[in-house]
Amino acid sequence: MLKAGPQGLTPDGEKKKARVYTDGFFDFVHFSNAKLLWPAKQYGKKLIVGIHSDDELDNNGICPIFTDEERYRLISAIRWVDEAFEDAPFQPEISTLNQLDCDIIAIPDISHPTTVETAKYEEIRGSDRAKQYVISEHVTDQEVAGRLMLVTKSHHMETDSILEFKSAMLPFALDPVSNEPVISVSLFKQNYTFAPIVIGKKPKATDKVIYVSGAFDLFHAGHLSFLEAAKELGDHLIVGIVGDDDVNEEKGTIFPVMNLLERTLSVASLKIVNEVFVGVPPITTTRFVNLIKPTKIAIYPETHPRRFAGCTQLGIIKEVAPDYDATCEEILERITSRKIASSEDDEIALFSGIPLNNNQH
């Protein structure tokens, strides 16, 4: 479980530094990247994140699934990231901290680091400006690839069980400075009520409330771009996450690749999101709209009309065009067409033949 220290103090009880630096390549599995960065933020008032370029990774034998542009956009969108920059050196030095006016570097303590990861911080690790922190368990890209290879649904979860994961969701809803909840997370119930999981700030009476819904599986830059375009329509963005069973019924096979909790955490980590409704119905009806009373419902241009059956006459549906075009299918094709090295024995495995019938963002 992620824990925050007292306001103004690090988890060690020391006074927080002004600026703390950390770095990485931060490939896909967005919520795991956010989870990795959350404890680093606890060591400084501002968290500065360096992102390695594709060329830098290639020089060190690493082949990411997301491009450096995509990784930069996704990391910059996380609520507890204050600054992000591209082309960060793979091996940070004291001069790196000086150039960025950072007091310390936060280094994650990886349980089973590779040779490359061990060498990465070899010089700076012994400095008094290096702070090593323990990371909690998180889903890796290898684990996701394993789900694809095994064509398994064992990671899916019942929608009601989301209530058991309040402690996991709470840090993702917090303001990184005050440690007070700023976004709300609620579970949609079949009787058309909501069970609060985390209570954050509610919209003001004058706010324009925008609602979007979807699976948001394998959260990627296309999802982020869509949500950013939706947020531009108003002031308060509510994101509905469809449950695992409903997503699987529509898409079949192994989908969703990421379960309901994982997809919720990815969305909840974003600066632009104000509320998350978990386990919403895949079809947004008039009854549901009357429950949440949005000013606008933002949809993709290619969204099937049945998803908002009966809502057209309300005049609140608005198509928004993201400025970055990517889909889950494209991400899956990248995964299944490339070789992923096992973190344990460095054997190369090619994941192929995964059914790609995912036709929804």
Side-chain angles (χ1 to χ4, degrees):
M1 174 183 172
L2 299 176
K3 293 183 178 180
Q7 188 171 348
L9 298 179
T10 71
D12 303 327
E14 301 174 352
K15 186 177 179 180
K16 285 187 176 182
K17 302 296 186 181
R19 291 166 64 86
V20 57
Y21 175 73
T22 193
D23 65 359
F25 60 96
F26 304 110
D27 206 9
F28 90 117
V29 188
H30 179 72
F31 88 92
S32 282
N33 292 329
K35 193 174 182 180
L36 179 70
L37 290 170
W38 196 88
K41 171 68 177 181
Q42 304 306 306
Y43 288 92
K45 296 177 182 178
K46 289 187 178 297
L47 177 62
I48 292 77
V49 182
I51 299 161
H52 308 316
S53 69
D54 293 343
D55 289 341
E56 187 84 330
L57 295 180
D58 184 60
N59 291 336
N60 286 276
I62 299 172
C63 181
I65 290 170
F66 287 167
T67 67
D68 44 17
E69 177 189 357
E70 292 170 335
R71 292 182 284 114
Y72 172 78
R73 289 188 67 160
L74 289 164
I75 294 301
S76 298
I78 295 173
R79 186 178 306 105
W80 40 97
V81 173
D82 298 286
E83 298 175 24
F85 72 96
E86 300 171 282
D87 298 324
F90 193 78
Q91 290 184 299
E93 300 174 347
I94 295 298
S95 59
T96 308
L97 303 184
N98 293 338
Q99 290 169 7
L100 297 169
D101 194 26
C102 289
D103 302 286
I104 61 171
I105 178 172
I107 303 174
D109 183 11
I110 300 173
S111 300
H112 303 287
T114 64
T115 302
V116 172
E117 289 167 335
T118 300
K120 177 173 163 46
Y121 299 109
E122 187 173 4
E123 292 187 13
I124 201 169
R125 193 187 302 272
S127 166
D128 59 2
R129 294 175 68 180
K131 181 68 179 181
Q132 191 157 303
Y133 66 91
V134 177
I135 62 174
S136 56
E137 293 183 5
H138 62 286
V139 175
T140 64
D141 53 358
Q142 284 89 357
E143 181 175 337
V144 174
R147 295 177 186 179
L148 298 174
M149 180 181 68
L150 298 173
V151 194
T152 180
K153 295 191 292 184
S154 61
H155 58 285
H156 291 179
M157 59 187 296
E158 296 293 330
T159 298
D160 283 347
S161 68
I162 198 77
L163 292 171
E164 301 172 14
F165 295 92
K166 177 178 180 178
S167 61
M169 285 184 282
L170 181 58
F172 282 67
L174 297 179
D175 176 86
V177 176
S178 67
N179 283 330
E180 295 295 327
V182 289
I183 73 165
S184 297
V185 182
S186 302
L187 171 66
F188 174 76
K189 307 288 285 185
Q190 293 301 314
N191 62 354
Y192 277 77
T193 61
F194 287 103
I197 301 174
V198 180
I199 301 176
K201 295 180 179 179
K202 294 297 182 181
K204 299 189 292 289
T206 56
D207 282 349
K208 294 180 179 179
V209 176
I210 310 302
Y211 176 72
V212 301
S213 66
F216 299 101
D217 198 11
L218 288 175
F219 196 85
H220 53 72
H223 289 136
L224 176 61
S225 180
F226 168 66
L227 292 176
E228 289 173 338
K231 183 62 178 280
E232 290 180 359
L233 298 177
D235 310 293
H236 189 92
L237 180 63
I238 300 175
V239 182
I241 312 290
V242 180
D244 290 348
D245 288 344
D246 286 323
V247 174
N248 185 254
E249 182 177 349
E250 177 169 330
K251 300 181 180 181
T253 62
I254 62 171
F255 298 102
V257 180
M258 309 302 290
N259 66 36
L260 182 58
L261 174 62
E262 295 163 347
R263 293 182 286 120
T264 298
L265 293 178
S266 287
V267 171
S269 71
L270 303 177
K271 298 172 184 175
I272 58 174
V273 172
N274 302 102
E275 282 191 77
V276 182
F277 291 165
V278 183
V280 300
I283 306 299
T284 302
T285 62
T286 303
R287 182 181 179 187
F288 185 86
V289 171
N290 290 337
L291 176 66
I292 62 175
K293 296 179 173 59
T295 308
K296 292 287 183 183
I297 297 176
I299 65 172
Y300 288 99
E302 67 272 23
T303 299
H304 196 287
R306 74 181 181 85
R307 295 191 184 283
F308 298 92
C311 297
T312 306
Q313 74 277 12
L314 299 176
I316 60 173
I317 295 179
K318 175 70 174 179
E319 290 186 356
V320 296
D323 67 0
Y324 195 93
D325 187 21
T327 65
C328 282
E329 182 174 10
E330 178 187 338
I331 302 304
L332 285 169
E333 287 174 344
R334 295 187 200 180
I335 297 170
T336 57
S337 65
R338 60 154 276 196
K339 293 180 179 180
I340 299 179
S342 167
S343 60
E344 295 182 357
D345 53 18
D346 292 333
E347 291 180 357
I348 302 297
L350 177 62
F351 299 106
S352 60
I354 305 302
L356 299 177
N357 63 343
N358 183 16
N359 57 7
Q360 179 189 354
H361 287 78

